[in-house]
Amino acid sequence: NGRVLTLLVYLNPFWKVEDGGCLRLFRELQDAAGTADISPLHGRAAAFLCRNRWPHEVMPAWAARVAVTIWYYDGARLSERCGGGQELSGFGFEGG
């Protein structure tokens, strides 16, 4: 899908561990136990590499959960995915 990096910022000021909703990262797809659970605590940032390097899932949550997700894309793959192989104009920032 062209994603290189995922960055999450959690905005849950009253989150408690018992509310669930952890981000679970796996070392491999076959790793049922996971390698790390990251609670969505307020102000916490989590970043991980994409491209099948860190399979992940979000565990069930028992409270409303808010996160901002930012993806960094490979330019060529982004153009291929969103622009039908054509150059994307007006996308991103330009200038000096």
Side-chain angles (χ1 to χ4, degrees):
N1 64 15
R3 294 179 190 162
V4 176
L5 178 75
T6 298
L7 172 65
L8 299 165
V9 179
Y10 294 108
L11 306 171
N12 304 298
F14 305 106
W15 198 262
K16 299 179 294 296
V17 173
E18 56 268 18
D19 290 334
C22 290
L23 169 67
R24 178 166 287 170
L25 296 173
F26 298 92
R27 187 171 310 278
E28 299 176 8
L29 283 174
Q30 300 81 6
D31 185 8
T35 59
D37 282 349
I38 300 167
S39 295
L41 302 176
H42 186 68
R44 177 172 280 171
F48 55 94
L49 296 172
C50 300
R51 294 189 177 191
N52 301 324
R53 293 184 185 159
W54 284 105
H56 61 281
E57 67 178 328
V58 176
M59 304 307 292
W62 292 274
R65 178 181 173 277
V66 178
V68 174
T69 304
I70 300 167
W71 291 297
Y72 175 77
Y73 280 87
D74 174 276
R77 291 293 307 271
L78 179 64
S79 179
E80 183 180 291
R81 181 174 185 205
C82 299
Q86 300 174 7
E87 184 68 27
L88 294 174
S89 61
F91 183 81
F93 298 98
E94 298 179 11

